[in-house]
Amino acid sequence: MDTPETNESADEKRTESPEETQPTVRRELVDETSPRPTTQMEPAPRLRDVTGTFGDYVRGRREALSSFVRRHRAATALLAALAVVAVAALAIAFAQAGRVPGGELIATDARERLSAPTYSSGTFGHDDALVAREVDVRRVTRSGSASEGGNAQFGASGYASAEVVVSYTGSYVSADQGATLEYALLDGSWVDVGGARDVEVAWHASAGVDQEKVVRNAHLLLKRADDQGVPEGDLPLAELYANAVAEVSDERFDADAQTDTLALTLTRSEAFCSYTCTMTVTFAFRQASGQWEVESVSVADGARERSLEALLGTWTGTFQSQDTDGEKCLAAREAGLTVVVSEAGGSEVSGTVSGVAHYHERPSKDATGCEGDLALDQVPFTAKLAESEDGSLTFEAALPEDVDGSATLTLSFGADGDPSAVTASLTSSYQHTGSILFFPVDETLTYTDLFSLKKDE
């Protein structure tokens, strides 16, 4: 009985023997950080089971969600719409938080709120009218409250400040007017509040000074020159050229330096003399005021020197009278007097004289001529300016001596208070030995012939 049981066990053992007959494979423990073998191994059966199970779970949840959405489609749509509205509201809120007035709005507003700056041409500038040309919006900033000193607005959800520069131009000047404009956001719209603040103007000259104004105000330039010093004994230029004629002979306008340099000539002309003053005047344009101011004045040499050019020429004398102590010799009435002025300058004139000199004793009665009358023919002379009480130009010259006597010539321009009158006198001196109570006496006889002169054309 025991034997069969033993055989059955033996059979079972034989059934499992094939495994035991296979070669034994040793599996070594592999460190997770060591390199993996390159031989691809089939996934373990257990990993495939886990993956499949997870996939089935995901598919199941997705189908469940789809089924839920189909059963509650209306509620889902409402929730989606609310989400869109919330996102849009949030976007609008963020947009409004950084929103500022637009550049076009600010530019239009600047033209309306800012007027052209008041321009004053001053003493030497051109009168001009300004027109707005363009607006430059420099910077726009937003704040949650009105600026210090600004006008707070009830219900405003924000405030903004815009820095602008408005450019104005005219024919002779231009101006840049900078200002800050204030805005408040009311009911979604930007509205201006208060007036413009921090208004400043910078001027720029596009042309030089007004030359007509410079000429009219030349006396101010002369005073500026006198401030630099007046030589002792000389008249101030402002007095010497009080009634002078002024004109601009040259101009150099520098747009970059904003300066204008003029050469100004002043001429004081009288009947027989003139004065000429040449000044160089530099004007500087002031950006703060928009006006031209005198920066410097310089006067050329010779401004106080008298010009006698008007005396040059031939002057013909007509006999008027004779002054002597006794009877007269009127030979000069027929001969007349001719004075030729060939040089004139400074304080003297020179030329020649033709006439009659009386080198004789007194006639017993007035005579048309006497023995001893000497004809003068183009006798040279140099006459020097002498002091005169009537303000005339008086020149005196001693003619070359003659064996029979001597003569002096006096020329007066503007004599006897008449600025157009010209006179000449020729005085003859004759040395004579006479007698008083039968005693011999040396005496000098003089004859002064007076002429009115007229310049030949």
Side-chain angles (χ1 to χ4, degrees):
M1 295 298 291
D2 296 333
T3 303
E5 184 178 355
T6 303
N7 293 335
E8 185 177 352
S9 299
D11 294 336
E12 292 174 358
K13 290 179 181 181
R14 282 192 296 267
T15 303
E16 296 175 356
S17 61
E19 295 181 2
E20 295 177 357
T21 59
Q22 296 295 326
T24 301
V25 179
R26 295 183 178 180
R27 299 185 180 271
E28 296 180 354
L29 294 177
V30 180
D31 187 358
E32 293 183 356
T33 60
S34 63
R36 300 289 185 176
T38 57
T39 303
Q40 295 183 356
M41 303 291 295
E42 291 186 2
R46 291 182 180 179
L47 181 60
R48 285 199 302 271
D49 293 341
V50 172
T51 303
T53 303
F54 179 75
D56 293 339
Y57 172 79
V58 171
R59 284 191 295 273
R61 300 307 299 171
R62 185 170 57 194
E63 291 176 359
L65 179 60
S66 299
S67 176
F68 176 81
V69 169
R70 286 193 296 271
R71 290 195 305 270
H72 300 85
R73 182 171 299 173
T76 303
L78 178 60
L79 290 174
L82 291 176
V84 171
V85 171
V87 172
L90 185 61
I92 292 174
F94 276 109
Q96 288 185 347
R99 182 183 175 191
V100 294
E104 185 175 349
L105 169 65
I106 296 173
T108 302
D109 195 28
R111 292 177 180 272
E112 296 176 353
R113 296 173 65 181
L114 295 175
S115 58
T118 301
Y119 171 65
S120 176
S121 58
T123 305
F124 302 106
H126 288 275
D127 296 332
D128 207 353
L130 299 178
V131 178
R133 295 299 183 189
E134 61 182 5
V135 179
D136 182 12
V137 180
R138 297 290 177 84
R139 186 176 66 169
V140 184
T141 58
R142 175 169 175 151
S143 62
S145 60
S147 62
E148 183 177 355
N151 295 325
Q153 301 295 305
F154 178 76
S157 58
Y159 294 87
S161 297
E163 296 178 5
V164 299
V165 176
V166 183
S167 299
Y168 302 85
T169 59
S171 299
Y172 306 99
V173 297
S174 60
D176 290 330
Q177 183 173 227
T180 299
L181 305 180
E182 302 286 346
Y183 295 89
L185 185 60
L186 296 172
D187 297 329
S189 299
W190 288 104
V191 295
D192 60 278
V193 292
R197 62 181 178 86
D198 302 332
V199 179
E200 295 181 353
V201 180
W203 298 89
H204 185 84
S206 53
V209 296
D210 186 336
Q211 295 188 10
E212 293 184 359
K213 285 188 177 181
V214 172
V215 169
R216 289 200 303 267
N217 294 285
H219 61 285
L220 300 177
L221 304 176
L222 292 170
K223 289 181 179 179
R224 180 71 174 265
D226 287 331
D227 290 342
Q228 301 174 18
V230 179
E232 185 177 356
D234 288 343
L235 290 175
L237 292 175
E239 182 178 344
L240 184 61
Y241 289 91
N243 299 315
V245 175
E247 64 177 357
V248 177
S249 57
D250 185 45
E251 180 181 18
R252 297 188 302 275
F253 171 64
D254 189 334
D256 294 332
Q258 291 287 274
T259 60
D260 194 20
T261 301
L262 271 63
L264 192 67
T265 301
L266 294 92
T267 304
R268 172 189 167 186
S269 297
E270 299 180 352
F272 305 107
C273 68
S274 62
Y275 296 85
T276 302
C277 175
T278 301
M279 291 192 300
T280 300
V281 185
T282 298
F283 298 89
F285 188 79
R286 305 306 182 193
Q287 291 187 342
S289 64
Q291 295 186 358
W292 287 99
E293 295 181 2
V294 179
E295 188 171 71
S296 65
V297 177
S298 62
V299 179
D301 294 338
R304 291 181 170 86
E305 294 181 3
R306 180 188 292 112
S307 174
L308 302 175
E309 187 176 354
L311 304 184
L312 297 176
T314 300
W315 299 83
T316 299
T318 301
F319 179 78
Q320 300 296 312
S321 63
Q322 186 181 79
D323 182 17
T324 185
D325 291 337
E327 303 300 327
K328 300 177 180 181
C329 177
L330 304 177
R333 182 170 59 186
E334 182 67 25
L337 186 74
T338 301
V339 178
V340 178
V341 179
S342 56
E343 295 183 11
S347 59
E348 63 181 31
V349 296
S350 60
T352 61
V353 60
S354 299
V356 174
H358 304 282
Y359 298 147
H360 55 75
E361 298 181 11
R362 299 187 190 282
S364 57
K365 61 179 181 179
D366 291 346
T368 57
C370 299
E371 185 179 353
D373 287 335
L374 178 65
L376 304 177
D377 184 18
Q378 298 183 1
V379 177
F381 73 89
T382 296
K384 296 185 179 298
L385 184 65
E387 295 292 335
S388 61
E389 296 181 356
D390 59 1
S392 63
L393 292 175
T394 300
F395 299 87
E396 296 179 350
L399 300 183
E401 290 188 359
D402 193 274
V403 294
D404 295 325
S406 61
T408 58
L409 175 67
T410 301
L411 302 173
S412 296
F413 300 88
D416 300 327
D418 183 355
S420 63
V422 183
T423 63
S425 62
L426 183 61
T427 300
S428 304
S429 298
Y430 173 68
Q431 299 293 328
H432 170 69
T433 302
S435 64
I436 298 177
L437 299 175
F438 305 104
F439 291 97
V441 177
D442 292 333
E443 61 180 350
T444 300
L445 304 179
T446 60
Y447 304 88
T448 300
D449 295 326
L450 184 62
F451 303 85
S452 64
L453 297 180
K454 184 177 180 180
K455 188 176 184 179
D456 294 351
E457 297 295 336

